[in-house]
Amino acid sequence: MKRLAVLTSGGDCSGMNATIRAVVRAGLANNIEVVGIQKGYQGVLDRNYQLLTTKSVSGKLQLGGTFLQSARCREMLTEPGQRLAAENLQGLGIEGLVVIGGDGSHRGAQTLRQRGIPVIAIPASIDNDIPFTDMSLGVDTALNNIIHAVDCLKDTASSHDRTFVVETMGRNCGYLALAAAVASGAEYALVPELPFDIDQICTALRRRYQEGRDNSILMVAEGAGKAVEIADQIKDRIGFETRIMVLGHYQRGGSPSTFDRLLAARFGVAAVEALLAGESGKMLGLRCGSLVLTDLEETIAAGRKPLDPGLLKLSQTLGI
Ligand code: F6P
C-alpha cells in the first residue's frame, strides 16, 4: 500500500485530532503516504485534501475538534454522490480510507467499500450510540465536561435550596444523561428511550426537600424533553425555585481526556494495521478492553445501541 486517506465526518468530538495523528504516524512508519481530507465526505467530493506529514500532526494530540474539519454531507446519501466520491478517491490513488465518525459516516464508508475502496471505520460520537463498541471516541471527554458543569451547579444549588434541570446532548440516545447522572450523583436521568412521569418526579423531589436536602439535579437528554419546559412543569406543580442549564455543544469540545487519547492512539494505529492486513468494510470497536473488528454491514444493520440496563439500574438505585 502506497497511499491512504483519513477523514473526520459528522458531529465532531474530542479525540479526533489524536486519532488523525495516530493514523498519520502509523502510516508513515509503514512508508505509506497519508492524505488528510478536509470536511469529511464533502472534501472527497470537492477534492479538498492535503498530504499530511509527521509535522502536520504535531501539537494536535491535545486539541479538541478536528483540524481536518467535519461536515454532514447530504450528497453522500445519493447514488451520484457516492459514485463521484469513489471515483475521486481512486483518482487520488487512495488504497485505503480511515473514516472517523458516527453511524451516518459509517454508512457512507460502507457505500465506498461497495465501490471498491478499502475502508476501516472508527466509532466517534459523544452519544455512545454505536453498537459493537463499549465506548466511542469522545464520550469520555464529553462526560467529564458534563460532570465538571454539574459539580459547579451543585455548589450554587445547595446554597439556595434549588433544583437544576441539566440538558445534555443525545437526540435519540440517553447514554450521556444516564452515565452523567450516575457519575455526578444526579437524582434523575430522563432519556428518550423511556417514558417518565413528571408527577411522580415532583412527589419525590418534594419529599427530598422535606427530608432537609438542599439541592436536586435532574439530567435530561435533549431527546427526552427541553430543560426549560421540565423546569416550568416542576415550578407549576410544586413551586420550587428551579433553574436550568443547557450544556449544548460545550459537551463536544475541549482537550481530550486521557482515556480518549489512549483510545485514539489504539484506534488510529489499529486502523492502519487492519488496512495493511487486507481488512476492509469493518468498524473497530473496544470490547471488554480489547480492540475488535466488526463488519460494517452488521453494525449498520444493528442500528442504535440500546440503553445499558446495568447503567439504568445504577441510576435508579442511587438516585432518588
Ligand atoms: O450526534 C452527536 C450530536 O452531538 C448529538 O448528540 C446532537 O443531537 C447532535 O450531534 C447535534 O448536531 P449539530 O452539531 O449538527 O447541531
Side-chain angles (χ1 to χ4, degrees), residues 202 229-240 242:
C202 285
E229 287 165 13
I230 291 163
D232 282 346
Q233 288 173 23
I234 295 171
K235 251 182 274 175
D236 292 347
R237 280 172 173 75
I238 50 178
F240 276 6
T242 306

Side-chain angles (χ1 to χ4, degrees), residues 165-168 227-228 244-248 251:
V165 183
V166 182
E167 188 178 311
T168 66
V228 65
I244 65 155
M245 176 155 202
V246 178
L247 291 168
Q251 294 158 94

Side-chain angles (χ1 to χ4, degrees), residues 72 125-127 169-171 222 249 252:
R72 300 188 199 274
S125 164
I126 66 164
D127 292 347
M169 277 190 163
R171 262 187 302 232
E222 62 179 326
H249 289 80
R252 288 223 306 241

Side-chain angles (χ1 to χ4, degrees), residues 11 28 34 51 61 71 80 128-129 139 220 229 238:
L28 295 175
V34 183
L51 214 50
L61 165 71
N128 209 21
D129 57 349
V139 176
V220 52
E229 287 165 13
I238 50 178

